[in-house]
Amino acid sequence: MEFIWMVAEDGIPWRMPILEEPKDATQVEWEPVPCSASYSIRQIAASSKTAFALDRSGRILMLVLPTHIALRQKIEVYVNQRWYPLVKWRRPLPTDRSEYSDESGKLRRDLEYFEDSPVDGWSWEEPWRTNRDPRSFDDQGWQYAITFLGANSTNWDRQCKRHHFVRRKILRRHMRFTQHDKWIEFSPEDDSKMFVELACGGAEIMEDGEILLFALGTDGNIYRRAGIRTNIPNGTEWCQLPKIQNPSTNEEIDDVTLLAISPTLGTLICITWDGKMYQRKGISCAIPNGAIWRQIPTPKNRAVIGLTIGTEAIWCITADGMVWFARLEIDRRKMEHTNIEELNFQEVAKSGICRISLTKNDQVFCVGSEKEVMEVRTGIDSSEPSGKKFEVMKYEGNEKKRWISICAASSNLSNIPKYLLDPRVLQARQEIFQFKNTFWRKQILESLQISNDKSWEIMKDVKIEKISDDFGCENVERFRKIKAQLVVFGDGQRQMRSVNLRISEAVFEIEGERNIDCAMILSSFSGFQRLPQKYLLHILVKNEAQPISFAFTDESSRNSCQEIVDNIIRSYITTSARNSLGQSMWTISNSGSVRWHCLAEMDPKFEKEIPLSDTRSLTVPGNFESIDCGANRLVWAVNFAGDLYSLHPRFDPLSTLDHTFEYRQTDELRHELYEYQKSAIFRGFVTFQGQQKGVSAWMSKNEGAAPQFYSGLASKFWTWIDAEWRLEDSDEDSWEYSNEIDGNFEIGVGKGEGKIRRRCWIRRAKFETNKSVWAKVEGPSVKVVRVAKVENQNSVTVITLTRDGHLLLRLGVNRENFTGSSWSQIVTDSPITAFHIQKHEKIWCITTESLIIWKTLVDTEQDVWNYLDMNLPSRKVVVTQKDADICGSNDILYLRSRNVLFRIDSANLTCSDPYPMENLRQAVVNLQGQICLLGSNISIVNEWKVMLYEDKKTTIIQPRSMNRAMNFGKSIICIAMY
Amino acid sequence: MDYEVCRKVWDSQIAAQITIQNRDEILPFYTMLPRFSYFSVVLQDILQFFTSRDNELNLDGEKIWLESKGVPLKMYIPIGVIFDLNNEVEGDTWHIVIKTSNAPSGYRTINRETMEQIYLQNLKEADFLKRKAETIQNMQIDEHRMLWDSICNNHFDDFWGINKKLMDTSDKMFDSIPLRVYERNRPAFKQTLLNPRNDSGELVTVGHAICQLLAISEILPTSTLISHGIRIPAETPLIYAAKNLTYPDNFVHICVLKND
């Protein structure tokens, strides 16, 4: 949720929700957010997650916006005991560490101290719990050592031996922030400081969850709040900045009145009583307090009384009421504004505005000076950065109040939404949404669809009849003629030969080369080649290992050819015999395109499913990085940028009729281009021609050789975000060196190292379509999504793993409501690497510390996780954090770490030796519980041979029978099966 | 405007089989007729098809008339309405015969230009009912022409680009709703002044409106309300039908059929 914050004259803060596509007026209503009666607010500064309000008496209040992921902090206390003869385990000696301490033993902790509500706004989640990780602690939670002194974490043993005299256990408790969406006191521990101004920003230069919050104290000093993090929203302490020094007299300047900071970069400017501006130079993530103050010139040397800084724009108001605008130049590598000292202010208006605030994308919200109502500056875009005119926002509540402060810095708005200026827009929308889910509308839609389908069916039938009746009449069987280039491999190189294609319903003819029976065409997928730039279409034919590849010079011819081939495949699938289980597989290729594979085709002769390598597939529109499918044919996918999408259930890859889906799908990709140079005698490093060991001077990270600074993109849905290529590393010496062109490259120590060097160039591109069949599901950035394969009463369990290892459960997902209704967090102690939903009732996870835990999905709020304690020698199963999967069926778990597979029987507590497989990248299960492995090929293992070692704990596994598809494993990055 | 529904309504077509009277040796013409269009508009293309097949065929556009199952087909009523009225079930193609004999008395063969005038006339009447013809009088002649052209050439986006203005209720609601009700074996349609809202301010449903029109107390379960080839639920608000279930002349044409 994005808001713009305002303060009314009576001291009550208001906020305005900003939505791109609001359904009706209630979603964007302005709402008052009052503090308790004693406060009268005069200013608000906000970031996208938190808002800070400054009261007239100088106190700061904070409001933390609701989050999907709970804000939690973990408190740990170690309980230490010593063993004495006769009395056994008791409190330690006075010379030892205290009974309750932190890990080092130095700090003493008292349990009573933690009994009540910890801090204002936080509350305990549960009572003290013992850490029972079975690898380090025994079943009571103790670990033993000989002595406290010098004992570090590796000396502690989980089993008590005769020489162990001390023991400890860890008590753990979490506190959770519960006062979301309410104003609470900001720094109750330090009541002495009072403030008169606030400024909040710097979102893009700080780490995730950190922001820059500056405040002007009543003592004239400027302070920065240190220690602000995602789970510590109010930071830990105030740091004082050094005072500004008057450049001529070297006296300290005491009379700062206003602070302003850019919401995205670290540009902080303050204004003094006499209207002069000073910038704090050198603010960066590493040095958040900045380095030095520098005076900057004001517009025509007039006194400045109001100021706001955006990303590429800066606006100010001078004492004579005039409004000024200047452009800001950004150095994208260093992420800083470069032209602050030479700003070229232009006059925008003679008067009319008394307060002004910029959004992150430089849209202007302001308060008019006459009537003190809220206005916006319309017409701001890249060609007219100062916009066209100030317009009053036509909102009911606007003109009834007088506003004294506004903060738009928390908003990403890049243009003023129409509904702020014209209330009719919302009304029209409301009408549509009013009726959307009524039964009569659904009935009408369904009947229309059925009726349309019927008419077309009739037409199709008639045609076929007609043709067979006619004799002597020319067979009007339609065929299409297409010109393309056939890609052949000759002399070890790829060559292209122009051919004519003649495609009819039964035969795909490449004139002069060969004829392909259309029944043998299995799938088509598109590709893109950079050097030379061509749009490719690969066609997989049954029993052939290599696809047949065609190249087209323009995208639309390739797309129409693909459509024809897909239609052929579609007609074969729809006319073949398929079983009722409807098994299918979804795959994503390395270019992000999605395909649906029909695994339900039956071989009429043998009455079982056709082998995997003979299945057909169809391309589905969309651009994603990972995908999962589950019960009720629900399909969810994640794009490269981490956004989550759900496939509209009425979309059927087999249906030829165009349902008009108008969802918006976006994605973002970073293109990486390596520049190679070889060292030549006397000339130093130079670029080179041709190829060496398959590497040419300019190489795209994923796609091979590429033109220098290429500007071609894979399809019409992609456009560039960055206008040009820039170096990844801003350093001069960002070259990496190596002696072999295909060896390891390292940052050069001295310039003489290595014969080859390379550096990386970056350019970002974005994908956008407004006719997508995938609907976006709002939420935090996601790494992986899993859909349960079995329904749970009336809904299907969908769980996502966010980028920082949190688990979120999506509630209310079913076919009518395919995007679900809300998120609920499944709280875990430590971040999760991978997880698996068993049926619909259990979730298995592997944490980043390679611990396997599970719980039932009934109550997701409580932290009741069970550990899988297999009594294995510790550290046997080590799972890499970045490249791991877990899946399974019933009590059998399959754990994949890089290219190695483990089979864990959780009922009998056995674990297999690692089973390596070449190029293994993913392991998933289908509804039947069979495991499907994505390696160089895609294989479904029908049965495993499991042999037990003597110790009854380890097993060796081998696949007994497999169903393998040889033809396309290499170019696939993700699979999902149902 | 409810895009999904409007689009589907526009895309509805009827499979038709067209033959020429007494010329069984000429192969029938199979085509899909758009429901929203008129026979006057499509007749030209049909005739052209026949003459291109057989150059000697001489069909005078002014003298022929159309008939199906013994019933003459009116050229100035949308094709979809005629089909719904005369046919029971959509199971088969619609057999239409081009008759060259003398037309029955009272039959008018209408050419395309005349149809355009009739169409605009209907459009003005609909707008008059909705808002005293303010909107349509403010529209330019070009826009009128564009509306007609997009009907003739099946241009959905062009049509709705202009039609949206006639469907806009952001200022105020329509005064009354243009609705025509047809019953089988009755000569013409019935039309009356209908308010979109009733006295208590609620939206009037299609069912109620028809009851009011036909002066019956309720819609019997044995009758169905058909428009665009589908059964319209009686609970549909009239204002919704007026915006999304109309034919291009901005009228809602509903056939009330009794199931026997």
Side-chain angles (χ1 to χ4, degrees):
Chain A
M1 264 297 316
E2 265 187 20
F3 293 101
I4 293 194
W5 293 87
M6 310 145 327
V7 184
E9 203 183 24
D10 50 10
I12 296 190
W14 287 67
R15 65 183 180 190
M16 177 193 334
I18 295 286
L19 281 176
E20 247 178 65
E21 306 263 315
K23 290 187 194 165
D24 58 47
T26 54
Q27 283 194 332
V28 288
E29 249 174 20
W30 295 12
E31 49 170 349
V33 191
C35 317
S36 67
S38 47
Y39 290 105
S40 173
I41 304 297
R42 49 180 284 231
Q43 189 205 4
I44 290 191
S47 73
S48 47
K49 297 194 188 137
T50 326
F52 304 95
L54 186 61
D55 159 75
R56 275 184 204 280
S57 64
R59 275 188 245 277
I60 303 183
L61 299 166
M62 164 177 87
L63 183 141
V64 179
L65 291 174
T67 53
H68 292 297
I69 310 249
L71 300 181
R72 299 162 83 228
Q73 287 186 46
K74 180 161 70 169
I75 308 288
E76 279 187 338
V77 165
Y78 283 75
V79 180
N80 306 303
Q81 291 190 341
R82 179 176 275 282
W83 190 88
Y84 304 91
L86 293 179
V87 291
K88 307 269 169 62
W89 293 104
R90 282 297 153 84
R91 47 192 312 186
L93 294 168
T95 49
D96 287 329
R97 50 183 69 176
S98 53
E99 191 178 3
Y100 299 103
S101 76
D102 70 337
E103 179 168 14
S104 67
K106 297 206 188 99
L107 250 62
R108 190 199 145 105
R109 298 263 164 107
D110 277 317
L111 273 189
E112 294 80 42
Y113 174 66
F114 292 106
E115 269 321 308
D116 304 323
S117 167
V119 194
D120 207 21
W122 297 80
S123 51
W124 292 114
E125 281 185 348
E126 81 274 78
W128 289 103
R129 276 231 164 82
T130 319
N131 186 350
R132 294 245 192 90
D133 183 342
R135 299 168 302 172
S136 325
F137 301 96
D138 71 5
D139 53 9
Q140 296 290 316
W142 294 100
Q143 49 179 203
Y144 303 85
I146 305 177
T147 166
F148 284 123
L149 291 172
N152 49 27
S153 44
T154 50
N155 287 358
W156 295 91
D157 197 345
R158 59 177 296 195
Q159 281 179 334
C160 182
K161 306 241 170 66
R162 301 192 96 220
H163 52 271
H164 286 148
F165 288 109
V166 296
R167 70 177 186 177
R168 69 177 185 181
K169 71 175 174 183
I170 306 182
L171 288 180
R172 187 183 275 178
R173 204 172 189 191
H174 289 100
M175 59 182 194
R176 179 193 286 232
F177 188 79
T178 46
Q179 297 296 319
H180 290 275
D181 233 18
K182 294 198 195 70
W183 291 107
I184 58 175
E185 283 198 26
F186 183 72
S187 52
E189 80 279 359
D190 185 1
D191 248 355
S192 56
K193 288 215 175 19
M194 297 297 170
F195 300 96
V196 289
E197 273 289 316
L198 285 180
C200 172
E204 275 184 31
I205 62 166
M206 302 299 287
E207 305 279 339
D208 205 26
E210 294 179 358
I211 44 167
L212 288 172
L213 178 64
F214 289 93
L216 177 62
T218 44
D219 53 4
N221 283 317
I222 301 179
Y223 294 88
R224 180 186 71 87
R225 187 66 175 175
I228 298 182
R229 289 208 304 271
T230 311
N231 60 349
I232 311 182
N234 58 344
T236 48
E237 54 176 3
W238 291 106
C239 289
Q240 185 178 335
L241 259 57
K243 288 211 177 175
I244 310 175
Q245 293 213 321
N246 186 323
S248 40
T249 64
N250 259 354
E251 273 169 18
E252 289 187 340
I253 296 187
D254 237 354
D255 38 13
V256 176
T257 53
L258 208 120
L259 295 177
I261 185 170
S262 160
T264 44
L265 299 182
T267 302
L268 173 70
I269 297 181
C270 66
I271 301 181
T272 53
W273 268 115
D274 48 1
K276 296 208 172 49
M277 300 205 292
Y278 295 86
Q279 181 201 6
R280 182 70 177 165
K281 286 191 67 123
I283 295 183
S284 67
C285 185
I287 317 174
N289 283 350
I292 186 174
W293 290 102
R294 180 133 319 162
Q295 182 174 9
I296 52 181
T298 63
K300 298 221 168 53
N301 273 329
R302 301 193 199 175
V304 173
I305 57 168
L307 177 68
T308 176
I309 314 175
T311 304
E312 290 184 16
I314 178 169
W315 291 67
C316 67
I317 305 174
T318 46
D320 49 6
M322 205 165 281
V323 183
W324 303 81
F325 158 83
R327 244 193 243 260
L328 287 174
E329 311 265 324
I330 304 181
D331 177 342
R332 284 257 171 227
R333 285 179 265 147
K334 294 192 202 156
M335 289 303 269
E336 55 184 35
H337 289 127
T338 53
N339 64 335
I340 302 277
E341 284 157 34
E342 316 124 356
L343 288 170
N344 183 6
F345 280 104
Q346 302 161 353
E347 267 181 43
V348 171
K350 293 237 177 337
S351 63
I353 305 293
C354 59
R355 307 235 182 282
I356 192 167
S357 175
L358 284 171
T359 67
K360 288 186 185 152
N361 281 314
D362 303 317
Q363 295 297 312
V364 173
F365 283 77
C366 43
V367 180
S369 35
E370 249 182 59
K371 297 196 218 147
E372 293 183 333
V373 289
M374 299 275 289
E375 300 186 17
V376 286
R377 181 81 175 166
T378 52
I380 295 186
D381 58 32
S382 47
S383 57
E384 279 232 44
S386 58
K388 297 206 171 71
K389 60 177 176 151
F390 289 108
E391 277 188 42
V392 177
M393 278 197 261
K394 290 206 182 34
Y395 181 84
E396 252 183 66
N398 187 7
E399 314 214 10
K400 290 195 193 143
K401 288 212 165 284
R402 298 168 64 133
W403 304 99
I404 60 173
S405 165
I406 177 173
C407 177
S410 45
S411 162
N412 272 320
L413 271 187
S414 48
N415 46 36
I416 305 287
K418 293 204 186 73
Y419 65 82
L420 281 180
L421 300 167
D422 184 358
R424 291 190 304 178
V425 168
L426 283 176
Q427 197 190 25
R429 290 229 184 160
Q430 183 164 14
E431 278 180 13
I432 298 181
F433 281 93
Q434 194 180 1
F435 297 130
K436 191 153 194 190
N437 288 319
T438 51
F439 79 94
W440 48 261
R441 179 181 176 273
K442 290 190 188 160
Q443 239 181 351
I444 291 179
L445 266 179
E446 240 182 85
S447 322
L448 280 171
Q449 185 63 45
I450 296 176
S451 162
N452 280 359
D453 289 349
K454 255 205 265 178
S455 310
W456 284 101
E457 283 302 314
I458 297 175
M459 201 58 199
K460 260 196 349 193
D461 288 339
V462 166
K463 236 195 176 157
I464 295 178
E465 262 180 40
K466 209 48 214 131
I467 290 176
S468 54
D469 268 345
D470 276 337
F471 40 74
C473 168
E474 219 187 288
N475 198 354
V476 288
E477 189 176 327
R478 293 166 15 112
F479 55 82
R480 306 280 295 264
K481 279 194 181 170
I482 301 186
K483 277 200 197 307
Q485 292 178 310
L486 179 64
V487 178
V488 288
F489 289 89
D491 302 331
Q493 283 205 4
R494 296 172 88 180
Q495 290 171 355
M496 310 226 210
R497 199 184 309 156
S498 288
V499 292
N500 284 326
L501 304 175
R502 227 165 150 255
I503 313 173
S504 70
E505 271 179 32
V507 174
F508 188 106
E509 184 186 328
I510 309 177
E511 273 179 16
E513 298 273 340
R514 54 182 289 196
N515 285 3
I516 308 172
D517 181 359
C518 282
M520 306 289 267
I521 297 183
L522 296 181
S523 65
S524 76
F525 48 102
S526 54
F528 182 67
Q529 179 183 285
R530 289 203 182 280
L531 206 56
Q533 178 164 318
K534 293 267 179 226
Y535 295 90
L536 305 173
L537 183 65
H538 309 281
I539 301 184
L540 270 177
V541 176
K542 189 164 160 181
N543 295 335
E544 290 187 31
Q546 293 293 338
I548 303 177
S549 306
F550 296 98
F552 298 81
T553 38
D554 67 293
E555 195 188 340
S556 43
S557 346
R558 190 273 308 272
N559 287 350
S560 21
C561 187
Q562 182 171 27
E563 214 181 298
I564 298 173
V565 174
D566 268 2
N567 281 336
I568 294 176
I569 299 175
R570 192 172 286 134
S571 60
Y572 276 98
I573 299 181
T574 44
T575 49
S576 68
R578 286 170 286 156
N579 68 24
S580 56
L581 288 172
Q583 295 112 309
S584 49
M585 174 167 74
W586 291 80
T587 59
I588 299 193
S589 75
N590 50 14
S591 59
S593 36
V594 182
R595 270 192 297 158
W596 169 81
H597 302 248
C598 175
L599 302 184
E601 258 185 83
M602 303 288 282
D603 186 338
K605 260 193 288 176
F606 299 112
E607 290 210 359
K608 56 182 199 130
E609 284 95 16
I610 56 175
L612 192 59
S613 48
D614 291 349
T615 53
R616 294 180 218 270
S617 64
L618 290 169
T619 309
V620 167
N623 192 79
F624 294 104
E625 190 179 13
S626 73
I627 194 167
D628 197 25
C629 58
N632 286 348
R633 298 204 287 142
L634 291 173
V635 185
W636 288 60
V638 181
N639 68 7
F640 288 92
D643 303 319
L644 184 63
Y645 288 83
S646 172
L647 181 65
H648 198 294
R650 249 194 275 135
F651 174 79
D652 183 0
L654 291 176
S655 154
T656 48
L657 287 172
D658 229 352
H659 291 256
T660 46
F661 293 106
E662 298 206 318
Y663 294 103
R664 185 157 175 269
Q665 199 218 324
T666 57
D667 202 351
E668 206 180 287
L669 201 57
R670 221 167 77 127
H671 288 249
E672 292 176 2
L673 183 63
Y674 282 101
E675 178 187 2
Y676 286 85
Q677 288 187 346
K678 283 202 274 201
S679 108
I681 318 176
F682 303 129
R683 282 192 293 161
F685 280 98
V686 291
T687 182
F688 60 95
Q689 305 285 353
Q691 281 195 350
Q692 190 181 341
K693 288 195 198 162
V695 176
S696 26
W698 291 90
M699 294 281 285
S700 156
K701 185 160 185 205
N702 296 325
E703 295 162 356
Q708 176 179 357
F709 294 143
Y710 60 82
S711 52
L713 286 168
S715 77
K716 61 179 188 297
F717 298 114
W718 289 95
T719 48
W720 290 109
I721 299 178
D722 298 327
E724 291 174 353
W725 289 91
R726 59 188 164 91
L727 283 172
E728 177 178 31
D729 213 341
S730 50
D731 258 341
E732 254 301 312
D733 233 349
S734 55
W735 291 97
E736 298 174 314
Y737 295 83
S738 168
N739 276 324
E740 297 294 324
I741 201 163
D742 52 356
N744 278 334
F745 280 84
E746 284 160 357
I747 304 285
V749 180
K751 289 230 170 85
E753 307 281 313
K755 303 199 210 112
I756 320 268
R757 70 178 189 174
R758 73 175 187 189
R759 61 183 178 176
C760 186
W761 293 82
I762 306 261
R763 193 176 179 187
R764 292 174 298 162
K766 76 166 184 262
F767 173 93
E768 197 173 345
T769 169
N770 281 324
K771 297 243 185 258
S772 174
V773 298
W774 301 83
K776 183 165 177 187
V777 180
E778 288 300 330
S781 209
V782 157
K783 204 169 79 168
V784 155
V785 64
R786 289 264 174 272
V787 183
K789 308 256 184 256
V790 172
E791 212 181 334
N792 176 17
Q793 287 168 351
N794 234 350
S795 63
V796 177
T797 308
V798 175
I799 301 182
T800 64
L801 180 65
T802 66
R803 290 257 160 104
D804 39 7
H806 291 112
L807 289 172
L808 285 174
L809 168 68
R810 186 72 176 166
L811 299 167
V813 179
N814 50 37
R815 270 183 82 83
E816 279 74 46
N817 193 12
F818 64 100
T819 49
S821 50
S822 59
W823 291 106
S824 157
Q825 185 182 4
I826 302 179
V827 173
T828 54
D829 261 350
S830 39
I832 304 291
T833 302
F835 70 98
H836 155 65
I837 308 176
Q838 182 178 322
K839 290 245 171 66
H840 57 86
E841 47 199 22
K842 243 195 209 173
I843 177 170
W844 292 88
C845 302
I846 181 144
T847 70
T848 48
E849 297 145 5
S850 300
L851 184 61
I852 303 179
I853 52 180
W854 63 272
K855 78 187 279 204
T856 52
L857 284 172
V858 173
D859 187 353
T860 58
E861 281 300 319
Q862 278 198 320
D863 198 5
V864 184
W865 286 95
N866 303 293
Y867 299 105
L868 187 66
D869 183 2
M870 290 187 296
N871 246 329
L872 294 173
S874 63
R875 312 288 157 204
K876 171 173 178 163
V877 173
V878 177
V879 164
T880 60
Q881 205 177 330
K882 297 236 159 95
D883 192 8
D885 290 324
I886 182 171
C887 62
S889 88
N890 298 331
D891 289 324
I892 310 287
L893 288 178
Y894 294 99
L895 193 59
R896 176 193 72 88
S897 172
R898 289 231 182 86
N899 65 333
V900 150
L901 193 68
F902 294 94
R903 177 183 180 276
I904 298 175
D905 186 334
S906 60
N908 300 327
L909 291 180
T910 66
C911 174
S912 73
D913 268 350
Y915 176 75
M917 196 164 151
E918 191 189 330
N919 209 6
L920 179 63
R921 282 164 287 137
Q922 193 184 3
V924 294
V925 283
N926 62 12
L927 179 61
Q928 280 77 36
Q930 296 165 321
I931 184 171
C932 322
L933 302 166
L934 174 66
S936 313
N937 311 310
I938 299 182
S939 331
I940 304 180
V941 179
N942 293 327
E943 219 184 303
W944 288 96
K945 212 162 35 173
V946 179
M947 292 166 296
L948 199 53
Y949 267 142
E950 272 179 7
D951 62 359
K952 297 268 190 269
K953 289 194 208 145
T954 329
T955 57
I956 307 185
I957 55 173
Q958 259 217 335
R960 187 174 270 156
S961 75
M962 291 220 278
N963 192 355
R964 185 179 277 171
M966 306 266 221
N967 10 40
F968 45 81
K970 269 187 248 178
S971 57
I972 303 286
I973 57 175
C974 181
I975 56 173
M977 306 201 59
Y978 179 71
Chain B
M1 170 195 161
D2 189 337
Y3 186 89
E4 249 186 303
V5 172
C6 292
R7 183 83 224 200
K8 286 194 162 50
V9 159
W10 182 275
D11 287 339
S12 310
Q13 306 198 335
I14 304 173
Q17 175 189 358
I18 307 178
T19 50
I20 305 187
Q21 179 188 23
N22 297 333
R23 303 292 296 270
D24 289 335
E25 76 282 6
I26 301 184
L27 298 164
F29 176 40
Y30 292 93
T31 184
M32 299 292 279
L33 297 173
R35 276 176 170 277
F36 62 82
S37 185
Y38 300 87
F39 275 117
S40 313
V41 173
V42 299
L43 190 57
Q44 214 172 349
D45 296 322
I46 298 174
L47 292 182
Q48 195 170 28
F49 174 83
F50 280 115
T51 45
S52 71
R53 262 220 211 135
D54 184 351
N55 290 337
E56 290 147 44
L57 200 54
N58 226 336
L59 292 169
D60 186 358
E62 302 285 321
K63 296 234 182 75
I64 55 175
W65 53 288
L66 298 170
E67 182 207 70
S68 163
K69 289 203 250 176
V71 177
L73 304 177
K74 298 189 175 120
M75 290 193 166
Y76 51 87
I77 294 188
I79 296 178
V81 183
I82 300 183
F83 181 85
D84 293 333
L85 203 48
N86 294 330
N87 292 51
E88 297 281 355
V89 173
E90 261 182 60
D92 215 1
T93 52
W94 192 10
H95 286 245
I96 302 179
V97 184
I98 299 182
K99 307 276 254 194
T100 47
S101 53
N102 286 334
S105 64
Y107 190 92
R108 294 265 174 283
T109 305
I110 306 201
N111 66 11
R112 205 184 261 205
E113 286 75 32
T114 320
M115 190 63 233
E116 183 175 357
Q117 298 306 316
I118 299 181
Y119 167 74
L120 287 173
Q121 189 63 33
N122 279 339
L123 200 61
K124 288 181 185 153
E125 183 180 346
D127 198 45
F128 181 79
L129 285 171
K130 285 196 276 191
R131 50 176 88 236
K132 303 275 181 296
E134 281 168 11
T135 320
I136 199 150
Q137 277 167 359
N138 287 337
M139 277 168 55
Q140 299 165 347
I141 301 209
D142 280 344
E143 296 180 300
H144 294 171
R145 183 147 308 136
M146 181 124 197
L147 282 175
W148 178 250
D149 283 342
S150 42
I151 295 176
C152 295
N153 300 324
N154 196 346
H155 286 153
F156 177 80
D157 296 311
D158 290 342
F159 178 81
W160 273 97
I162 306 175
N163 201 31
K164 259 201 292 225
K165 295 191 213 174
L166 294 165
M167 294 296 189
D168 183 19
T169 48
S170 43
D171 295 351
K172 50 177 188 150
M173 182 61 102
F174 294 152
D175 292 335
S176 73
I177 306 289
L179 168 69
R180 286 183 180 163
V181 173
Y182 300 77
E183 284 176 292
R184 206 170 267 167
N185 298 328
R186 295 284 176 86
F189 54 80
K190 291 211 173 96
Q191 181 181 332
T192 183
L193 273 182
L194 294 163
N195 256 321
R197 282 189 203 276
N198 63 16
D199 297 327
S200 37
E202 295 170 350
L203 296 173
V204 175
T205 63
V206 166
H208 273 127
I210 295 190
C211 289
Q212 198 182 338
L213 238 182
L214 299 179
I216 54 182
S217 53
E218 61 168 44
I219 305 269
L220 299 170
T222 51
S223 348
T224 38
L225 311 174
I226 307 273
S227 185
H228 302 287
I230 60 167
R231 189 187 152 268
I232 307 284
E235 297 85 353
T236 312
L238 200 56
I239 185 71
Y240 182 87
K243 289 196 183 185
N244 302 297
L245 296 173
T246 51
Y247 281 80
D249 57 4
N250 276 205
F251 268 91
V252 183
H253 299 262
I254 298 192
C255 307
V256 178
L257 301 178
K258 298 196 184 0
N259 326 343
D260 301 310

